[in-house]
Amino acid sequence: MPPGERLLMKVSATRTFARIAPHVIPALDRAVHRLTRGKVLLSARMLPGVVLTATGARSGRPRRTPLACVPEEGGSWLLIGSNFGRPGHPAWTGNLLRNPEAEVSWRGRDIPVRARLLTGEERARAWRAALALWPPYAAYQARVTREIRLFRLERR
């Protein structure tokens, strides 16, 4: 692992990062994604990423959220509701629970998907895959009492 990546993982596991990142990273990702017509996500330089468009659970309006993901063989994706290790579940997870039909922008293409909350052994396997991709998820889980939600997005 390159030294820069190791440092990035260490920094991203801190509480300071958890306070600042949710306000900065998604805004930058949305702006760059829009300017490049869906071809670039800045955070995808660290981790694979999608822009999820889900229907708001309360508003009923489309909500676009840039997210790290774990691409899976067969064309599905895992989404990890870590919220950077902050106490509450991220809003997008509630949106998917209420309205599982969604869309992802992946490498410049919009793809209709259906989200499914993972539980039991299926969740345990997905969690191991997430940790293999980004070990700081373990620090996020250790900081919170809630179980981090994991979703599988499958193409419709």
Side-chain angles (χ1 to χ4, degrees):
M1 174 184 310
E5 188 174 328
R6 200 173 13 258
L7 176 62
L8 183 59
M9 284 188 188
K10 189 172 185 168
V11 168
S12 72
T14 66
R15 290 180 190 274
T16 301
F17 183 84
R19 277 195 306 274
I20 296 167
H23 304 289
V24 176
I25 293 173
L28 284 173
D29 268 344
R30 275 191 287 274
V32 170
H33 190 259
R34 190 174 46 250
L35 289 170
T36 62
R37 294 187 174 98
K39 291 184 176 65
V40 176
L41 274 178
L42 286 180
S43 61
R45 301 295 183 221
M46 296 182 296
L47 292 167
V50 297
V51 175
L52 172 71
T53 302
T55 303
R58 290 185 294 201
S59 71
R61 297 196 322 234
R63 301 293 184 199
R64 292 177 57 82
T65 310
L67 298 167
C69 69
V70 179
E72 298 183 299
E73 287 188 31
S76 59
W77 299 266
L78 294 176
L79 296 183
I80 300 92
S82 69
N83 206 12
F84 297 95
R86 297 184 311 165
H89 291 289
W92 63 265
T93 67
N95 294 343
L96 288 180
L97 289 172
R98 180 90 180 255
N99 302 297
E101 305 285 319
E103 184 176 273
V104 292
S105 175
W106 171 251
R107 297 180 176 166
R109 292 185 40 226
D110 293 332
I111 302 166
V113 295
R114 180 167 183 82
R116 188 167 47 82
L117 180 66
L118 302 181
T119 59
E121 182 53 36
E122 185 180 27
R123 185 197 180 282
R125 281 191 307 276
W127 182 247
R128 287 190 296 271
L131 290 177
L133 181 69
W134 192 245
Y137 285 135
Y140 299 168
Q141 182 62 78
R143 269 202 304 267
V144 297
T145 56
R146 67 181 172 87
E147 181 177 71
I148 290 176
R149 292 175 176 162
L150 296 172
F151 288 86
R152 176 165 284 121
L153 302 182
E154 297 171 318
R155 295 170 190 251
R156 289 190 270 144

